[in-house]
Amino acid sequence: GSVQEITDILPGYFDYSDSSFVELSEFTIVNETQYELNPGETQTITVRYSPEDVGSDDAFLYSFGPDYIHHIMPVSGSSVLPTVSISPESLDFGNVQVGAYSDQLISITPDISVGEIDIVDINSSNSVFMVVSDTSFSVLPEEVIPITVRFTPTDIDSTYSADLSLVTSVGDSTIILGTSTLIGNGTSE
């Protein structure tokens, strides 16, 4: 998640422990929630935003004194859908004899540095192409993950194609992060 810092500059007693984020669990206070400021002092409050879905969230941070609300501060956050690059974008296995198979490597790298990206599955739209390495893993920023794809043709003189999709989950939804096109031919020799 991302972090936003807010600085109190007015003197007084501050208590953010009962702060209402309009029931949004995406926002949490990281540091001390109760403190007292004397004239000229400041206190930084660190608010962490950990989105559960794609989109934007707005909330209010309330500072309570002994008898009233001292401050009402708006906080907001927007989530970015991570994407990955798959190299190559199109993979041609060429001619492969029926009854045999061919393994090829593709590489996965994050497009932007948003932290760890969890790949929950890798799907092929045609069963003659399958991933023989792990299909569920995490990718760190600037990391390159090799994936082994196997082509096993079933019919002679047939051309096959498929889309290979990398899937992540966001909240209760699954989202395709990237795809690669796979092509291959079944031959008799």
Side-chain angles (χ1 to χ4, degrees):
S2 65
V3 172
Q4 180 176 356
E5 293 184 343
I6 300 166
T7 303
D8 271 337
I9 57 173
L10 299 175
Y13 171 77
F14 296 90
D15 182 356
Y16 288 98
S17 58
D18 292 328
S19 189
S20 170
F21 285 116
V22 194
E23 299 181 14
L24 288 176
S25 60
E26 289 90 345
F27 296 98
T28 54
I29 297 175
V30 176
N31 54 340
E32 185 63 43
T33 59
Q34 297 178 358
Y35 54 89
E36 187 167 340
L37 290 181
N38 293 313
E41 292 180 332
T42 63
Q43 174 69 38
T44 300
I45 304 132
T46 304
V47 178
R48 176 166 288 126
Y49 176 61
S50 301
E52 295 174 0
D53 289 311
V54 176
S56 297
D57 295 299
D58 297 306
F60 291 97
L61 178 64
Y62 296 97
S63 164
F64 295 95
D67 300 320
Y68 59 92
I69 296 176
H70 277 284
H71 291 119
I72 301 174
M73 292 177 263
V75 292
S76 63
S78 295
S79 59
V80 177
L81 181 64
T83 59
V84 295
S85 291
I86 303 173
S87 179
E89 291 179 11
S90 180
L91 182 59
D92 189 345
F93 285 81
N95 295 328
V96 176
Q97 185 177 357
V98 171
Y101 65 85
S102 174
D103 288 346
Q104 299 282 336
L105 285 177
I106 61 172
S107 298
I108 299 167
T109 54
D111 285 335
I112 56 175
S113 182
V114 295
E116 186 175 80
I117 299 174
D118 293 323
I119 306 295
V120 297
D121 202 4
I122 302 176
N123 299 321
S124 170
S125 62
N126 189 330
S127 62
V128 298
F129 298 98
M130 62 183 280
V131 175
V132 293
S133 50
D134 288 339
T135 59
S136 178
F137 52 88
S138 296
V139 184
L140 297 172
E142 301 178 21
E143 185 175 22
V144 177
I145 303 288
I147 300 295
T148 303
V149 181
R150 178 169 291 166
F151 172 51
T152 310
T154 56
D155 295 319
I156 297 170
D157 297 328
S158 294
T159 299
Y160 298 91
S161 65
D163 287 325
L164 191 71
S165 302
L166 277 72
V167 180
T168 190
S169 62
V170 177
D172 295 333
S173 303
T174 56
I175 296 172
I176 295 174
L177 293 176
T179 60
S180 180
T181 302
L182 309 174
I183 302 166
N185 301 307
T187 63
S188 59
E189 11 177 298

